[in-house]
Amino acid sequence: MKMSGADPPSSMSTPDGETRNRRYPRLRCFVAVSLRAKDPDLFLMGNLSSIGLGGCGVEAENPVEIGVTVEIASFEDDRISVIGDVVNRRFLVEKRAFEIGIEFLDASERKAEFIKFVEHKTQVDDQEYWYQTQMKRTEGEKP
C-alpha cells in the first residue's frame, strides 16, 4: 500500500474546510479511530473529525492514496467499524496533518451502527439520533 505526499487542496473545499457539494450534512466529531487496509503496511491512527450518511473525514499524520479501500474502526472497540474508499485528501497546514475523505461502501445497517456509535461519543444534544433525523430528511427528498 503506497502512502504519498500531499495533494493540493481540493477545488471543492472552502477556506474553512467545509465543502459545498455534499449530498448529506456532516456532524463534527472527535473520535479516535484506526485506518486499516488489506495491505498490512497500512495502519494509521487518526481522529474522525466529521461524519455523514455518505462518508467521513479522518485527520491523520500521514496521507493515504486516493482509491484505497480502508476499514475505519473505533480505537475504543475495533468491532465497531465501517468500510470505505479514500476519495480525497488534503494537507491541513494549521494542524500539520492530513484530512482524508472516505466514502462509505458498507450496507446501511453496519454504517448506521458506526454513525450511532460516533454520535453517542460526540454527545449530540438532540434526543433523536442524528442519523435517523437525516434519514427522515433524505426520505422526504426521494421522488
Side-chain angles (χ1 to χ4, degrees):
M1 193 72 37
K2 289 169 59 177
M3 295 168 66
S4 69
D7 288 339
S10 165
S11 61
M12 292 177 58
S13 297
T14 62
D16 64 1
E18 292 297 316
T19 56
R20 297 180 181 149
N21 298 328
R22 293 217 182 275
R23 186 171 174 193
Y24 303 109
R26 288 282 178 111
L27 171 68
R28 288 264 183 223
C29 51
F30 189 84
V31 178
V33 294
S34 64
L35 294 180
R36 298 179 290 228
K38 289 183 180 178
D39 182 333
D41 292 338
L42 180 61
F43 178 86
L44 297 173
M45 295 303 299
N47 167 48
L48 185 70
S49 58
S50 66
I51 192 165
L53 297 177
C56 64
V58 175
E59 295 174 4
E61 289 185 10
N62 296 306
V64 178
E65 289 284 336
I66 292 173
V68 171
T69 299
V70 294
E71 178 181 21
I72 307 110
S74 161
F75 184 71
E76 184 178 305
D77 182 352
D78 66 359
R79 295 172 298 171
I80 300 171
S81 67
V82 68
I83 304 293
D85 281 340
V86 175
V87 293
N88 64 53
R89 65 179 178 203
R90 66 188 178 106
F91 185 68
L92 303 171
V93 176
E94 69 282 0
K95 295 184 179 184
R96 295 184 182 203
F98 291 88
E99 182 173 38
I100 302 163
I102 300 166
E103 182 177 350
F104 293 142
L105 298 176
D106 271 324
S108 55
E109 186 176 310
R110 184 171 177 183
K111 179 172 61 173
E113 177 186 2
F114 186 78
I115 291 171
K116 286 177 185 178
F117 172 81
V118 170
E119 182 177 53
H120 175 73
K121 295 298 289 180
T122 307
Q123 299 178 7
V124 175
D125 291 334
D126 192 351
Q127 293 297 318
E128 186 172 37
Y129 275 81
W130 178 84
Y131 174 81
Q132 292 171 342
T133 302
Q134 296 309 313
M135 286 302 293
K136 288 177 185 174
R137 288 183 188 162
T138 58
E139 286 173 0
E141 295 172 6
K142 292 180 182 174

